[in-house]
């Protein structure tokens, strides 16, 4: 559905019964267009070394308090095999941003190795930051088929309030990367944090129009969570309280579901961090993807993007049982052993060949 900037703003400002009505409409649209399935991406937090200095993120280069790690190839492949055994259907490899040749080669090799598991039965999403188009192409050719790169804010002025203004943090470059990803053939996902200092309803309405204009296949939206060891923390008093951030995130998901009915949308872990029911609420507002954490326990606490991250201590088995029960309680079910591609993308691209679901 097409919506104007003013219509989107009005929906994002909805409260009480009006907000409930918005969420109800979004759920109806999702169930009609996508069914009640939730797709899983087993999240492998590959490493927390990062060349960048985003002002909100605990992994930023300038944070000397975090112990840095990088998983071994064996660790990554064990996680991927576990995802396969658990029937997740897909893995997502995420890390701090690195552009050295060793990193690029390793990811290419690992993607190829993951593809060998059970004849290529696992789908692969990457979330490894800004890279050259050549690198994106190499990883795509190796077998990755989805890529998540949040724009963080589609408003250039706000972007530079939450990133240093230097060549490593260029708003134009971030957009150019999204364009490269789409050109390369990835199901491309983007997103923003909700509840940032200085962020207004106008910014958020602009973000939704940006997603539509870019015609992305996936969106990951989550509340911003202030991290004490980052420069943005000094503006924490400008951050809306948790309930307001949660409600705004839910309204963003719901409005986007009305605007782009057949895209994949992630119920981010950050939702559950600020509200114990946050992930279920996001699913009921229109999200349809969850990323259970498969990172080996000893490293998880170092992937410290923001404080009090949910499920850090859960084992994969506990996580799966918990998810099955929680989703059944809200009338949803996990679609096991499937890639769970975005119907919006597959219909548009007429996907065939190496990246089609076997
Ligand atoms: N380095 C890659 C990148 O930036 O695209 C991927 C890893 S990065 C940790 C993944 C996402 O974490 C970012 O896109 C950002 O939106 C989110 N994030 C970082 N700090 C956050 C915070 N304090 N609160 C909520 N989300 C945060
Ligand atoms: Fe690095 Fe990504 Fe965190 Fe920015 S958001 S500091 S690129 S890990």
């Amino acid at each position: 559905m097409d919506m104007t900037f003013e219509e989107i703003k009005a929906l994002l400002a909805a409260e009480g019964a009006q907000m409930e009505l918005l969420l109800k409409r979004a759920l109806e649209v999702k169930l009609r267009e996508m069914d009640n399935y939730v797709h899983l991406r087993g999240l492998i937090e590959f490493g927390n070394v990062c060349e960048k200095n985003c002002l909100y993120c605990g992994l930023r280069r300038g944070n000397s308090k975090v112990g840095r790690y990088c998983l071994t190839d064996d660790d990554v492949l064990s996680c991927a095999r576990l995802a396969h055994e658990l029937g997740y259907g897909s893995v997502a490899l995420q890390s701090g941003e690195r552009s050295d040749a060793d990193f690029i080669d390793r990811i290419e090799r690992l993607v190829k190795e993951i593809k060998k598991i059970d004849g290529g039965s696992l789908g692969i999403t990457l979330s490894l930051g800004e890279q050259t188009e050549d690198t994106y192409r190499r990883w795509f050719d190796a077998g990755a088929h989805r890529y998540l790169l949040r724009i963080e804010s589609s408003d250039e002025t706000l972007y530079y309030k939450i990133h240093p203004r230097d060549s490593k943090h260029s708003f134009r470059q971030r957009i150019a990367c999204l364009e490269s990803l789409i050109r390369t053939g990835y199901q491309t996902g983007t997103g923003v944090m909700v509840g940032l200092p200085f962020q207004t309803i106008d910014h958020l309405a602009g973000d939704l129009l940006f997603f539509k204009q870019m015609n992305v296949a996936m969106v990951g939206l989550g509340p911003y969570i202030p991290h004490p060891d980052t420069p943005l923390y000094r503006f924490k008093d400008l951050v809306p309280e948790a309930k307001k951030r949660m409600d705004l995130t839910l309204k963003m998901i719901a409005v986007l579901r009305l605007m782009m009915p057949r895209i994949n949308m992630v119920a981010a872990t950050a939702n559950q961090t600020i509200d114990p029911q946050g992930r279920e609420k996001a699913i009921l507002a229109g999200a349809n993807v969850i990323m259970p954490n498969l990172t080996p326990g000893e490293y998880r606490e170092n992937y410290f993007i923001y404080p009090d991250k949910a499920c850090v201590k859960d084992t994969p088995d506990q996580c799966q049982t918990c998810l099955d029960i929680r989703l059944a309680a809200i009338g949803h079910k996990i679609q096991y052993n499937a890639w769970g591609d975005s119907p919006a993308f597959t219909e548009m691209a007429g996907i065939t060949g190496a990246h089609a679901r076997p």
Side-chain angles (χ1 to χ4, degrees):
M1 178 200 285
D2 283 332
M3 278 193 221
T4 65
F5 184 67
E6 292 305 325
E7 285 167 342
I8 296 172
K9 270 176 59 178
L11 288 175
L12 293 180
E15 282 183 5
Q18 278 193 321
M19 173 174 156
E20 292 311 317
L21 194 62
L22 165 66
L23 302 189
K24 189 165 165 271
R25 267 178 62 203
L27 178 60
E28 281 164 9
V29 169
K30 183 185 79 167
L31 294 177
R32 189 185 70 219
E33 300 285 334
M34 315 273 282
D35 214 334
N36 65 344
Y37 281 117
V38 171
H39 306 299
L40 301 183
R41 320 277 182 242
L43 178 64
I44 307 172
E45 294 161 334
F46 177 70
N48 66 355
V49 177
C50 188
E51 294 168 358
K52 293 182 80 174
N53 243 337
C54 307
L55 301 178
Y56 44 83
C57 176
L59 306 192
R60 64 195 305 272
R61 191 182 71 225
N63 182 12
S64 54
K65 291 195 186 162
V66 69
R68 304 286 170 172
Y69 76 91
C70 187
L71 297 186
T72 64
D73 289 5
D74 282 349
D75 286 334
V76 173
L77 294 173
S78 305
C79 291
R81 275 186 221 107
L82 182 60
H84 178 56
E85 279 159 26
L86 294 171
Y88 282 7
S90 280
V91 289
L93 212 54
Q94 193 182 73
S95 82
E97 192 171 303
R98 286 177 54 185
S99 54
D100 50 286
D102 179 51
F103 178 77
I104 292 166
D105 293 346
R106 268 194 78 200
I107 297 292
E108 183 180 35
R109 213 171 48 240
L110 282 168
V111 169
K112 285 182 181 161
E113 288 300 316
I114 294 172
K115 273 292 161 203
K116 287 183 190 158
I117 298 172
D118 194 24
S121 64
L122 280 175
I124 305 180
T125 305
L126 300 179
S127 179
L128 305 169
E130 294 171 34
Q131 304 289 341
T132 64
E133 191 158 326
D134 178 56
T135 299
Y136 287 147
R137 163 71 51 198
R138 278 176 60 188
W139 294 345
F140 184 80
D141 289 343
H145 75 304
R146 293 187 286 244
Y147 204 104
L148 205 52
L149 184 76
R150 285 185 176 177
I151 186 69
E152 316 294 3
S153 169
S154 65
D155 179 89
E156 189 162 358
T157 308
L158 180 57
Y159 187 89
Y160 285 118
K161 286 199 164 128
I162 61 169
H163 296 95
R165 198 180 265 278
D166 61 28
S167 59
K168 266 245 155 262
H169 303 81
S170 156
F171 177 70
R172 296 281 146 202
Q173 185 53 29
R174 197 126 182 123
I175 292 184
C177 282
L178 284 172
E179 289 166 348
S180 289
L181 288 165
I182 292 170
R183 247 193 325 271
T184 304
Y186 284 98
Q187 279 175 57
T188 302
T190 191
V192 294
M193 286 170 284
V194 178
L196 288 162
F198 315 110
Q199 191 181 47
T200 63
I201 291 280
D202 283 28
H203 290 130
L204 292 170
D207 291 334
L208 295 181
L209 286 172
F210 173 82
F211 304 153
K212 176 104 180 169
Q213 181 206 327
M214 294 293 286
N215 199 16
V216 289
M218 324 183 270
V219 167
L221 287 168
Y224 163 65
I225 301 174
H227 187 310
D229 301 323
T230 62
L232 207 62
Y233 193 70
R234 73 192 154 105
F235 299 111
K236 66 179 188 312
D237 293 343
L238 301 180
V239 175
E241 46 131 333
K243 161 111 179 52
K244 195 146 184 243
R245 259 179 296 157
M246 188 70 219
D247 284 354
L248 252 183
T249 304
L250 297 177
K251 287 186 274 185
M252 287 284 283
I253 292 172
V255 178
L256 190 59
R257 179 56 72 200
L258 301 181
M259 293 169 71
M260 303 181 80
R262 284 167 79 73
I263 62 167
N264 276 347
M265 256 195 272
V266 184
T269 307
N271 289 306
Q272 207 179 337
T273 299
I274 64 166
D275 179 336
Q277 296 292 316
R279 266 198 313 206
E280 289 91 321
K281 286 183 182 173
I283 294 291
L284 287 173
N288 68 326
V289 173
I290 288 181
M291 298 170 73
N293 200 338
L294 289 180
T295 313
E298 66 265 38
Y299 299 111
R300 285 197 197 176
E301 300 205 359
N302 284 330
Y303 203 79
F304 191 47
I305 309 174
Y306 48 74
D308 304 321
K309 208 160 132 212
C311 305
V312 164
K313 295 199 163 44
D314 289 8
T315 64
D317 283 349
Q318 286 168 334
C319 178
Q320 183 160 14
T321 311
C322 162
L323 273 178
D324 275 327
I325 295 169
R326 280 167 171 252
L327 291 172
I330 57 165
H332 282 66
K333 54 185 175 214
I334 295 172
Q335 188 174 35
Y336 285 107
N337 301 306
W339 284 6
D341 282 339
S342 143
F345 180 83
T346 40
E347 284 151 12
M348 192 171 63
I351 299 295
T352 54
H355 292 86
R357 172 81 176 94

